[in-house]
Each structure stands twice: as C-alpha cells, then as structure tokens.
Amino acid sequence: MSKKGGGRTFASLSDQECADFSKEAIQNAEHWYERAISSSENQQYGFASSCMIFCMEETMKALILHMDAQGFRFRQVKGMSKLLKDHNLRYFFGFVTSVMNIAHKDIGHFIMKIKEYPEEAIKVMETKDEGEIQRIALGYFIPKIKLVLKEVDWFSKADILRQSGMYTDFKDGIQTPQKISEQDYIELKERIDNLRQFSGKFFNGGYDINDPENRETIEKTKQQFLDEGWYEKIGNLIPKINNKNGGLFQKIKDVLSEILGDLKDENDHQ
C-alpha cells in the first residue's frame, strides 16, 4: 500500500477504505477456498492445502481491516503494515483468532449446560469445598492448555506446510506436494473451516454492529484499547514474531508448557 516518494500508506487508509479493502480480501479468500476444494476433488492435496492457508491469510487481513472500518486503529500500530506482506504475522493473528474461537465455543457450551442443568450449576457455584473447586478448575484448564498448545504447534509450522504444498524440497529425503495426504488436507480444512465460521460471524451479520447493545460493546472495547495501551502492546509483539530465538510462538509454547506441567503436578497431588 505504500509507494516510494511519499505515496499513500497502509496506516493512512480511511475507515471506508478499510471496509472496501476488507470486502476485497474476503472475496479473494473465497477464491482461494474454492481453488482448494476443486484441487482436492482432483486429489491434488498439496496444492489444495496451500490454497487453504492462502484463504486463512486473506481472512485474517479482512478481519483486521473490518475491525478498523468500525473505528479501531490496528492499521496505525507500528509494524502492522507487515500484515500485507508477512505470512507469519497473519499466522499469528490466525492463532489468536483460533484461541478466541475455542473460548467462544466454551462460553456457549457453558451457557447451554447452565440452561440444561440449572440446579447442578447453582450447586457448583455455591460450593465452598476448595478441593472440589480445584478439581473442576484443573479438569477444565489441563485439556484446554493442551488444545491451545496444538494450535501453537500448527500455526508455528503453517508456513512450512504452505510451501510444502507448492514446492519440492529435501529434508531427510525428497519432499514433494504429492506426498501431502488426503488426511493431512482434511485436518487442515477442518481448522480453516472453524476459523472461517468464527470470522464469518463478523462479516456475515452474525454479529450485528448496528445493534445498540453490540455498538455499545464495540465503543467500550475501542476505548479500552486506548486506555490500556493495547495498540502499543501489539506493536511491541510484532518484532518478536520473527526473531532468531524461535519467535513468539516458541515463547508462548514455553510458557504454556510450564503452566501445564505445574497444573499436572497439582493434579497428581490431589
């Protein structure tokens, strides 16, 4: 989006331009998704996998731009212009969106359980047995951290998979796109479909931005981002995504693995 000699920059886009750009990105994401489906039908699972990852990357662009069209200022974060050219930055936002989707599903499941078994829910919430509370908490957090670690592992390797679906290579033997199996593709597609479904709530009217209650939430969140310095925090994270020490994914993995180890120890001593 920038030109040498003082042209327009990504940060200078208006809210309306962000909205227009977001729509174009979504259309391109759909193009790559359709290419993936048609390629898989021809048993070209390597190319289909790469197309699915391109779809995810364009969806992440569209999501950030869509939020900025509502008055957020992600495009003005230092280093955010890399969103247009850095695969790893898009993978990181894909990871964050995936974790948000996991949390969203858990909240929905929790609400359904309360509606289905209100008396049991009240009993759990009113318990003063610290051992029982700890057991419930550990029973929830241990599998969830394992699930998030799987997402960390996948998104940290997404670029390798994208390239593996397009190019030949040599690593412990000859690697070709044809060696990517149907099962590999199916597992990848399931992950991308989950991201598309969650992101679609924002794009396709599932989350009505004109609803007064939703509008109030958006305005509060926008102010919270300013008051708590979240744009600056995101800007500080961007250079760490591609650093030489394994990047931000490795740091997240290390922290979560340590927490998981502590929780398992606690669970073993119950």
Side-chain angles (χ1 to χ4, degrees):
M1 285 301 297
S2 62
K3 298 178 181 178
K4 293 181 179 179
R8 294 291 304 284
T9 65
F10 181 58
S12 70
L13 291 175
S14 68
D15 289 356
Q16 184 56 53
E17 286 174 319
C18 285
D20 295 339
F21 197 165
S22 177
K23 291 176 183 177
E24 293 292 339
I26 278 294
Q27 288 181 9
N28 200 37
E30 290 304 307
H31 160 75
W32 283 115
Y33 189 83
E34 291 168 5
R35 288 286 300 275
I37 297 299
S38 62
S39 296
S40 69
E41 290 172 349
N42 291 323
Q43 298 182 341
Q44 297 174 336
Y45 300 117
F47 185 67
S49 296
S50 295
C51 290
M52 276 292 174
I53 293 176
F54 289 143
C55 169
M56 180 266 289
E57 292 189 53
E58 287 295 280
T59 302
M60 291 305 100
K61 282 186 197 175
L63 186 57
I64 295 295
L65 288 159
H66 180 75
M67 293 179 72
D68 272 19
Q70 311 310 317
F72 287 88
R73 290 293 178 264
F74 289 104
R75 65 190 180 279
Q76 295 172 1
V77 170
K78 184 178 180 181
M80 189 60 79
S81 61
K82 292 181 180 179
L83 182 70
L84 303 181
K85 55 188 177 183
D86 189 334
H87 295 285
N88 288 321
L89 183 56
R90 297 192 287 270
Y91 302 150
F92 177 71
F93 282 117
F95 164 71
V96 172
T97 305
S98 180
V99 173
M100 289 172 61
N101 185 37
I102 291 170
H104 179 264
K105 286 182 177 180
D106 280 355
I107 292 170
H109 179 73
F110 179 69
I111 291 173
M112 288 296 294
K113 283 293 184 183
I114 289 177
K115 289 181 178 179
E116 190 174 355
Y117 305 105
E119 292 181 0
E120 286 296 318
I122 293 171
K123 183 178 178 181
V124 170
M125 287 186 284
E126 288 182 345
T127 183
K128 296 181 180 179
D129 185 338
E130 292 185 6
E132 178 65 10
I133 293 172
Q134 190 175 44
R135 185 190 65 78
I136 294 171
L138 290 172
Y140 172 80
F141 284 110
I142 288 176
K144 289 306 171 185
I145 291 176
K146 288 180 179 179
L147 181 58
V148 173
L149 278 169
K150 285 181 65 176
E151 296 305 294
V152 172
D153 186 61
W154 190 88
F155 281 99
S156 68
K157 298 174 180 176
D159 202 50
I160 296 172
L161 181 55
R162 176 185 65 83
Q163 295 183 59
S164 297
M166 301 284 289
Y167 311 114
T168 56
D169 198 0
F170 188 90
K171 185 177 182 181
D172 299 325
I174 298 172
Q175 305 295 321
T176 72
Q178 289 71 36
K179 289 188 177 181
I180 294 178
S181 69
E182 181 180 11
Q183 186 58 38
D184 292 333
Y185 166 75
I186 289 172
E187 291 175 4
L188 187 155
K189 180 179 179 295
E190 182 179 354
R191 178 174 272 104
I192 303 304
D193 282 344
N194 284 334
L195 285 178
R196 292 176 75 245
Q197 183 180 21
F198 180 69
S199 301
K201 296 179 187 296
F202 298 91
F203 300 128
N204 302 325
Y207 185 83
D208 184 4
I209 60 174
N210 294 315
D211 178 271
E213 186 174 339
N214 291 343
R215 192 74 245 172
E216 182 181 357
T217 300
I218 290 172
E219 294 304 319
K220 286 181 178 179
T221 306
K222 283 160 57 177
Q223 190 60 47
Q224 187 177 15
F225 264 73
L226 293 171
D227 294 344
E228 299 182 8
W230 278 104
Y231 294 122
E232 290 80 5
K233 292 174 183 177
I234 294 170
N236 291 334
L237 283 177
I238 288 175
K240 299 177 182 178
I241 292 173
N242 291 316
N243 71 22
K244 296 180 180 179
N245 297 318
L248 191 56
F249 281 120
Q250 185 60 51
K251 293 187 185 309
I252 294 171
K253 183 178 180 179
D254 291 343
V255 170
L256 288 177
S257 295
E258 183 177 352
I259 293 172
L260 181 61
D262 291 342
L263 291 177
K264 284 182 174 179
D265 288 343
E266 192 70 32
N267 192 50
D268 290 341
H269 287 91
Q270 282 235 323

